[in-house]
């Protein structure tokens, strides 16, 4: 079996590639640094030649101001689906975010674009599985919600139910190695926490003494739990304390 991982150098992609390699699976690492541009489609057809399964863990942002975020992400997904069909890929596993289907995100560009990507994958002629994950523990330092200033760290007050990126990668690999079947899987971690608290605990673990200050999110629903996992989600460890203990310590 040969599996292509799109976004192979990203947080989930790197972990997915490593897991596949440990299992002895032939992996094609697809990224801009490998000469593949998902938005233009350059190099994509060649990268998918002879591939049995594609895992799309990419996050394709526009490279210039001429293209908006929504257009960039949806164009990339359209190219992925088209080239999967051309190269007769048997299964597309697409990584997305839990909760983006909520209408509250209609005017939230990134999540609205992720929703549109899901729709493209689901409507495509290739067998697919959409893996919807809640935020990762690693989101604790993500610049989309966390601002590192000289004297403090400003964190948007999101209520989340985070999961480890390693657990996400394992689900992607397990899904890719099983029979395809046009389904949606939703995964989450075992505990709810507010993002400022998670960030504070991560910084303390690394020895960063800057105080964490909570800030209102750009969308009020984010602080009210709109991104918490639905009841049918599969809960996967580790819990927060176990994950924190796995991080390098300042000593």
């Amino acid at each position: 079996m040969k599996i292509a991982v799109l976004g192979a150098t990203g947080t989930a992609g790197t972990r997915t590639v490593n897991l596949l390699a440990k299992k002895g699976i032939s992996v094609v690492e697809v990224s801009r640094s490998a000469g593949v541009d998902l938005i233009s489609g350059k190099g994509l057809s060649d990268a998918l030649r002879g591939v049995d399964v594609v895992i799309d863990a990419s996050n394709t942002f526009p490279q210039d101001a001429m293209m908006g975020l929504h257009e960039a992400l949806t164009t990339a997904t359209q190219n992925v689906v088209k080239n999967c069909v051309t190269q007769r890929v048997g299964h597309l596993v697409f990584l997305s975010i839990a909760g983006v289907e909520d209408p509250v995100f209609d005017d939230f560009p990134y999540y609205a674009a992720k929703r549109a990507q899901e729709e493209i994958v689901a409507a495509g002629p290739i067998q697919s599985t959409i893996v919807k994950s809640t935020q990762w523990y690693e989101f604790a330092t993500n610049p989309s919600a966390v601002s590192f200033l000289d004297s403090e760290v400003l964190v948007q007050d999101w209520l989340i139910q985070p999961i480890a990126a390693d657990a996400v990668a394992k689900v992607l690999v397990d899904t890719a190695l099983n029979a395809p079947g046009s389904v949606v899987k939703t995964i989450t971690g075992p505990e709810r926490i507010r993002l400022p608290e998670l960030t504070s605990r991560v910084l303390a673990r690394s020895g960063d003494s800057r105080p964490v200050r909570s800030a209102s999110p750009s969308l009020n629903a984010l602080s009210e739990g709109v991104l918490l996992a639905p009841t049918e989600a599969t809960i996967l460890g580790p819990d927060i304390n176990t994950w924190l203990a796995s991080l390098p310590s300042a000593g």
Side-chain angles (χ1 to χ4, degrees), residues 5-251:
V5 178
L6 314 187
T9 58
T11 302
T14 300
R15 290 165 167 79
T16 302
V17 167
N18 290 340
L19 279 177
L20 289 168
K22 288 178 180 178
K23 290 179 177 292
I25 305 295
S26 177
V27 183
V28 179
E29 299 182 38
V30 179
S31 63
R32 279 201 179 99
S33 60
V36 179
D37 188 317
L38 299 183
I39 296 176
S40 69
K42 178 184 176 183
L44 183 56
S45 181
D46 287 342
L48 300 189
R49 185 169 290 115
V51 165
D52 301 292
V53 180
V54 166
I55 298 175
D56 187 354
S58 64
N59 224 5
T60 310
F61 291 101
Q63 295 299 292
D64 58 63
M66 298 298 292
M67 177 178 283
L69 179 61
H70 192 281
E71 183 183 359
L73 289 168
T74 54
T75 298
T77 300
Q78 288 165 349
N79 283 333
V80 169
V81 171
K82 180 179 69 176
N83 282 278
C84 281
V85 173
T86 300
Q87 295 298 345
R88 299 181 180 179
V89 173
H91 186 193
L92 171 60
V93 180
F94 181 78
L95 177 60
S96 189
I97 303 170
V100 295
E101 65 280 358
D102 195 303
V104 74
F105 293 119
D106 286 353
D107 297 319
F108 200 73
Y110 178 61
Y111 283 5
K114 296 303 292 184
R115 179 199 304 166
Q117 287 181 293
E118 290 182 11
E119 293 169 352
I120 293 168
V121 170
I126 183 173
Q127 294 191 84
S128 62
T129 303
I130 298 173
V131 176
K132 294 166 70 71
S133 166
T134 54
Q135 282 62 45
W136 309 337
Y137 291 130
E138 290 78 4
F139 190 71
T141 56
N142 192 299
S144 64
V146 182
S147 299
F148 287 88
L149 308 177
D150 289 341
S151 59
E152 65 179 359
V153 179
L154 196 61
V155 185
Q156 293 184 27
D157 185 27
W158 294 26
L159 177 59
I160 58 175
Q161 190 170 342
I163 183 173
D166 284 325
V168 174
K170 185 177 186 304
V171 170
L172 293 176
V173 169
D174 290 346
T175 302
L177 295 178
N178 291 319
S182 297
V183 296
V184 175
K185 295 182 177 181
T186 303
I187 55 176
T188 188
E191 299 174 82
R192 297 179 178 186
I193 189 171
R194 292 203 169 272
L195 183 58
E197 180 185 348
L198 180 61
T199 302
S200 180
R201 293 174 68 176
V202 169
L203 294 182
R205 175 72 180 177
S206 67
D208 190 328
S209 61
R210 281 176 291 183
V212 171
R213 182 160 62 89
S214 178
S216 298
S218 55
L219 192 67
N220 287 337
L222 292 168
S223 67
E224 298 167 355
V226 69
L227 290 176
L228 294 176
T231 56
E232 69 272 16
T234 299
I235 297 174
L236 301 172
D239 60 22
I240 294 171
N241 285 336
T242 302
W243 178 78
L244 285 168
S246 73
L247 300 179
S249 171

